[in-house]
Amino acid sequence: MQNAADTGSLTLERFEPLLAHTQAPDAMRTLIAAYLDAWEKAAPPARTDLNFRTLAPYMPNLTIMERRDGRYLYRLVGTEVVERMTRDLTGENVFDYFAPGIHSGVRQGFEAVIDDCCISLFIYENTYSNGVMMKVESLLLPIASGVDGEAHHMLAWHIRHNDRSFTEQEELVFQSSIVGQVFFVPLKGNCRPMPALRALAPVEIC
């Protein structure tokens, strides 16, 4: 693990260009500030480095995803995410909940978060077989595993632009997914080119 002192100074001002595009700038600013506090201890921080007292108000809409054998698995799913999806997604493959046509692009974005150590904001819209459209923002942050200190996980906070939950009678079948915009802030080094993601949506490196 790289020592935090070797990564340069990270301040909230660095993230203002990303925060300008969210509908929840104050909440995301608080989340990023808590993450940067943990970054001072270790870069990237592990789950145990995060101050969950600060994160407590956001826990219902938090997920933690692990990259394992090329898959991205839900390892923690907040209560509000469970409620609106009508089941606990823990252990399930994240890409089972994205339309197949965007898998390669979204995967490049996830790899940039984990391997290039970036914070990212995805803004996207899902359309389901029952006709429901749901606009979502997801803030993605890399976190280290407790095994080798390298990033293999992502902490994500999700907000919806429309207040719509599913019922147990509705089938969660995607018809299409549209990625609107994606923003990245590199924490050290640079982000990869991500041509498949750029083919889906405008990508901005802040």
Side-chain angles (χ1 to χ4, degrees), residues 31-130:
L31 285 164
I32 292 173
Y35 181 84
L36 294 182
D37 285 344
W39 181 274
E40 293 298 318
K41 303 174 186 176
R47 286 174 63 173
T48 53
D49 297 317
L50 298 170
N51 184 342
F52 280 93
R53 179 174 297 180
T54 301
L55 297 179
Y58 308 99
M59 289 295 292
N61 285 295
L62 282 179
T63 59
I64 291 179
M65 296 168 273
E66 177 190 15
R67 183 175 61 188
R68 180 181 288 271
D69 300 326
R71 297 188 301 159
Y72 288 82
L73 305 176
Y74 287 107
R75 291 306 187 198
L76 180 148
V77 182
T79 54
E80 288 192 16
V81 178
V82 171
E83 180 180 350
R84 62 179 176 263
M85 299 300 281
T86 73
R87 61 185 178 276
D88 189 351
L89 306 179
T90 303
E92 297 192 27
N93 188 354
V94 174
F95 283 99
D96 289 345
Y97 297 90
F98 283 102
I102 70 171
H103 282 192
S104 59
V106 173
R107 184 178 297 275
Q108 283 187 348
F110 285 2
E111 290 170 350
V113 172
I114 290 178
D115 294 328
D116 300 338
C117 214
C118 297
I119 288 179
S120 181
L121 172 63
F122 272 70
I123 302 173
Y124 53 99
E125 181 179 275
N126 294 328
T127 302
Y128 298 87
S129 55
N130 56 15

Side-chain angles (χ1 to χ4, degrees), residues 111-184:
E111 290 170 350
V113 172
I114 290 178
D115 294 328
D116 300 338
C117 214
C118 297
I119 288 179
S120 181
L121 172 63
F122 272 70
I123 302 173
Y124 53 99
E125 181 179 275
N126 294 328
T127 302
Y128 298 87
S129 55
N130 56 15
V132 170
M133 291 191 301
M134 186 175 291
K135 293 183 179 180
V136 185
E137 295 182 19
S138 295
L139 181 70
L140 307 177
L141 308 101
I143 55 176
S145 70
V147 179
D148 57 11
E150 298 296 327
H152 298 288
H153 296 72
M154 290 187 296
L155 177 71
W157 184 63
H158 314 278
I159 61 167
R160 296 167 294 164
H161 291 192
N162 51 329
D163 188 17
R164 174 66 161 85
S165 297
F166 295 95
T167 68
E168 293 183 1
Q169 289 73 37
E170 292 177 313
E171 293 186 359
L172 291 178
V173 179
F174 283 104
Q175 287 187 326
S176 63
S177 297
I178 299 174
V179 182
Q181 290 179 290
V182 190
F183 303 89
F184 292 89

